[in-house]
Amino acid sequence: MLASHQSSHSQEPPQTAPLLPTMNTSKRSGFDASNISGPMSVIGSDLAILGGELRIISQGNLTVDGVVEGDVMGANVIIGEHAEVKGLIHGGTVVVHGRVTGTIQGVNVLLQPSARVDADIHHHRLKLELGAEFEGSSRSYDEHTNLLLNLEQAAKDRQNPVQETQTI
């Protein structure tokens, strides 16, 4: 069930978008979990990882089957059917089967029938399967290379934030 969906085409990147420094940017004819290959790191269903400024970063592919409160970033990210993530999810391809609250950033984002998403989604391509629940906003970027370049700059900016000073 699609609860709310707003879409706009823009070249502007999200303002607070951290990013995994290196990503898989290969073009794909279709995008789903079967297109994700290579080493896979897994956060198992028996794990709950909680933290305010927590960031989980994988240089490769990452599957989350447990509970995470914090940012999850990988070359490609899969959120399992029983997983819950509250925070930012970022990857070249992001496949969601479980619950997500926060922000999703990916060149390709796929919401599977079991997905329950309350998030802002920044994407080049977005696919919602019948049965997926999505509430939030969607922003499409015309060029996935522009999305990646802009997000890479945002990541650098977040790693080296400009500190504000107060004069008394």
Side-chain angles (χ1 to χ4, degrees), residues 32-86:
D32 58 32
S34 67
N35 287 335
I36 297 174
S37 62
M40 182 72 66
S41 298
V42 178
I43 297 173
S45 60
D46 61 330
L47 291 176
I49 302 174
L50 313 172
E53 294 293 319
L54 174 76
R55 278 198 225 168
I56 298 170
I57 301 173
S58 171
Q59 295 296 321
N61 302 311
L62 178 63
T63 296
V64 177
D65 288 324
V67 176
V68 175
E69 288 184 8
D71 297 345
V72 176
M73 299 176 228
N76 298 291
V77 179
I78 298 172
I79 306 302
E81 187 171 346
H82 301 289
E84 291 186 39
V85 177
K86 293 180 182 176

Side-chain angles (χ1 to χ4, degrees), residues 3-159:
S4 171
H5 178 76
Q6 301 170 347
S7 181
S8 62
H9 291 277
S10 171
Q11 295 291 340
E12 297 297 318
Q15 293 300 316
T16 59
L19 170 75
L20 180 67
T22 59
M23 295 189 51
N24 178 358
T25 59
S26 63
K27 292 186 178 183
R28 298 188 166 118
S29 59
F31 60 97
D32 58 32
S34 67
N35 287 335
I36 297 174
S37 62
M40 182 72 66
S41 298
V42 178
I43 297 173
S45 60
D46 61 330
L47 291 176
I49 302 174
L50 313 172
E53 294 293 319
L54 174 76
R55 278 198 225 168
I56 298 170
I57 301 173
S58 171
Q59 295 296 321
N61 302 311
L62 178 63
T63 296
V64 177
D65 288 324
V67 176
V68 175
E69 288 184 8
D71 297 345
V72 176
M73 299 176 228
N76 298 291
V77 179
I78 298 172
I79 306 302
E81 187 171 346
H82 301 289
E84 291 186 39
V85 177
K86 293 180 182 176
L88 169 79
I89 298 172
H90 180 87
T93 294
V94 177
V95 180
V96 180
H97 297 270
R99 293 188 175 274
V100 173
T101 303
T103 302
I104 299 173
Q105 298 171 339
V107 175
N108 302 310
V109 178
L110 172 60
L111 305 185
Q112 296 285 8
S114 57
R116 304 297 173 255
V117 176
D118 183 0
D120 295 328
I121 301 176
H122 303 272
H123 59 88
H124 175 62
R125 292 186 291 187
L126 173 63
K127 183 176 181 182
L128 281 76
E129 295 286 341
L130 185 63
E133 293 180 13
F134 169 54
E135 185 166 337
S137 65
S138 165
R139 175 168 286 165
S140 175
Y141 293 82
D142 294 332
E143 294 291 328
H144 75 277
T145 54
N146 289 346
L147 173 68
L148 293 176
L149 293 173
N150 290 332
L151 292 176
E152 287 173 359
Q153 183 60 48
K156 290 176 187 173
D157 293 345
R158 182 165 177 173
Q159 289 173 357

